[in-house]
Amino acid sequence: MKQYFVCCVFLISAFCGFGQSPAKTQVSRQVMQRIFEEVKTPYKYGVVIPQPDSGRMVDSPTVFRKDGLWYMTYIIFDGKGYETWLAKSDNLLQWTSLGKIMSFTENTWDATQKAGYVSLVDTEWGGSYEPERLGNKYWLSYLGGSEKGYEAGRLGIGIATSDDLTKARELDRLAQPVLSAVDKDARWYDDKTIYKSLIIRDKERKTGHPFVMYYNAKGERADAKGNGFESIAMAVSDDMHHWKRHGQKPLITRNTGICGDAQITKIGDVYVMFYFGAFWKPGAFERFACSYDLINWTDWDGEDLIAPTEPFDKTYAHKPWIVKWNGVVYHFYNAVGSQGRVIALATSRDLEAGN
């Protein structure tokens, strides 16, 4: 009878998953160090997209590859708000502007703010970096709003589509935001405003859904200085149109200052989130975190990936987009300094400064 009982317990345990090795939620220090050595870019190449003129500032690169060429969406702030532009390159170093893909409109929820970010880009480290088509369309998420000024008012996240991301023409947009601070399920950390977003494909459905959005947001809760702090949070979707928040707390936060602008890549079995930090120590700088499941993240506690060191990024060095191509790591970032607000590049090899 005792042997029968033990056998039953064993069978039940095996069926229910008891006794299996628990899923890893913490990434070891050794793995984090290995990732750092793989992604670091100590050589600053210089400015690759300057301000068009003194009245317009450049921001937020998203880099992808299509038909043998590289493309970058980026945003320009002209004092009124954000518009989204497109550039192309054949070598990741010299870039040619192709024009606007999201412009100001009249009497819409996103009239004066349209900061777009390409969705569903291949996340494999050293992979194709091609954006995935879904329903015969390419997809972007974007920061939207109707008030004039720098990220003014209560912003939200919109969805736009295109049948060809290599041409500078206006995108189609959903009529309303898909995520907003006034949603019924808004959390304490995103009930004031929502900023930049990134949508990736969760091929293994580790989150239980095929599409995952990482976004930075600010809640009404104040930090020690009386300011709402900015954190990175997560939402999920089954169709790219309808989104729901995941979890009850931010994924990455310092409970002060800013953690924002996530980019996701996968190196082996480790997901890496590049992001920037600001004002929880002086200035703005690039960081990363690692995960095995896209939900639980281990934050790097070592040196910054990039920090201000040059005249062109002496004020801020932040907002990453990083790719590895032909053995070289290219780290695009928003630099603020002697040349205004521009997009700069750092690399893992010395490619000789172009500026």
Side-chain angles (χ1 to χ4, degrees):
M1 186 67 179
K2 182 177 180 181
Q3 289 179 331
Y4 174 79
F5 175 76
V6 171
C7 182
C8 287
V9 170
F10 174 80
L11 290 173
I12 293 171
S13 298
F15 180 79
C16 295
F18 304 147
Q20 296 180 356
S21 298
K24 292 187 288 186
T25 59
Q26 188 76 14
V27 182
S28 71
R29 174 65 176 163
Q30 291 82 358
V31 171
M32 299 290 289
Q33 184 66 44
R34 177 173 58 82
I35 295 295
F36 174 75
E37 296 298 329
E38 171 66 20
V39 304
K40 66 182 182 180
T41 52
Y43 302 100
K44 289 189 175 178
Y45 178 83
V47 176
V48 293
I49 298 191
Q51 293 188 177
D53 50 62
S54 61
R56 292 184 292 171
M57 299 184 288
V58 182
D59 215 332
S60 296
T62 302
V63 176
F64 62 96
R65 187 169 173 83
K66 181 67 178 167
D67 299 329
L69 290 173
W70 293 96
Y71 294 87
M72 179 194 296
T73 59
Y74 59 99
I75 59 180
I76 287 183
F77 176 74
D78 68 350
K80 178 180 178 180
Y82 281 143
E83 294 180 297
T84 304
W85 289 63
L86 180 69
K88 74 173 180 179
S89 173
D90 61 4
N91 62 5
L92 289 167
L93 302 177
Q94 285 78 40
W95 293 85
T96 301
S97 178
L98 300 178
K100 281 187 284 191
I101 60 174
M102 299 183 80
S103 305
F104 298 134
T105 48
E106 297 289 336
N107 302 317
T108 60
W109 78 271
D110 54 2
T112 55
Q113 309 286 346
K114 296 186 186 70
Y117 321 105
V118 180
S119 299
L120 307 179
V121 176
D122 178 20
T123 57
E124 192 68 25
W125 184 243
S128 71
Y129 296 105
E130 289 197 13
E132 178 185 350
R133 274 183 179 267
L134 187 68
N136 207 33
K137 299 176 182 178
Y138 296 103
W139 296 70
L140 292 86
S141 60
Y142 67 97
L143 174 158
S146 60
E147 293 190 28
K148 295 179 181 179
Y150 184 76
E151 298 181 349
R154 194 182 294 275
L155 304 165
I157 295 173
I159 293 290
T161 59
S162 172
D163 60 1
D164 188 350
L165 274 180
T166 67
K167 302 291 191 300
R169 54 194 187 205
E170 292 292 322
L171 306 183
D172 297 319
R173 310 186 319 278
L174 296 186
Q176 298 297 327
V178 298
L179 211 67
S180 170
V182 297
D183 295 337
K184 290 182 179 179
D185 67 339
R187 306 292 200 253
W188 60 267
Y189 52 80
D190 70 1
D191 60 358
K192 185 173 184 179
T193 195
I194 297 177
Y195 297 99
K196 185 179 177 180
S197 53
L198 169 80
I199 299 174
I200 67 167
R201 165 79 82 165
D202 181 2
K203 295 178 181 178
E204 299 177 27
R205 298 208 177 197
K206 290 180 176 291
T207 62
H209 302 271
F211 308 112
V212 182
M213 177 193 293
Y214 296 95
Y215 64 96
N216 27 311
K218 186 182 292 184
E220 295 290 353
R221 176 178 167 182
D223 64 12
K225 298 179 181 178
N227 303 307
F229 54 86
E230 198 170 328
S231 306
I232 298 173
M234 176 178 166
V236 292
S237 175
D238 295 322
D239 60 8
M240 292 288 287
H241 287 262
H242 303 91
W243 292 87
K244 61 182 181 180
R245 290 158 171 84
H246 188 285
Q248 299 295 326
K249 61 181 181 179
L251 304 179
I252 302 288
T253 188
R254 294 287 176 138
N255 296 310
T256 187
I258 299 174
C259 295
D261 292 29
Q263 180 209 351
I264 304 294
T265 193
K266 191 178 184 186
I267 303 177
D269 64 343
V270 180
Y271 294 95
V272 181
M273 177 194 292
F274 302 114
Y275 72 95
F276 84 90
F279 314 133
W280 37 270
K281 63 179 185 177
F285 35 84
E286 306 279 52
R287 307 291 299 172
F288 75 97
C290 292
S291 173
Y292 290 112
D293 61 7
L294 294 171
I295 300 168
N296 299 284
W297 293 88
T298 302
D299 214 355
W300 170 244
D301 61 4
E303 65 183 280
D304 298 329
L305 288 178
I306 282 185
T309 59
E310 306 298 325
F312 63 81
D313 67 6
K314 64 182 180 181
T315 305
Y316 301 138
H318 63 339
K319 304 185 178 182
W321 194 274
I322 305 174
V323 302
K324 184 176 185 179
W325 191 254
N326 291 335
V328 178
V329 181
Y330 297 80
H331 184 149
F332 298 90
Y333 66 103
N334 180 236
V336 181
S338 60
Q339 298 186 42
R341 184 176 288 264
V342 298
I343 292 172
L345 172 66
T347 59
S348 58
R349 296 182 190 170
D350 187 356
L351 303 181
E352 297 183 359
N355 291 283

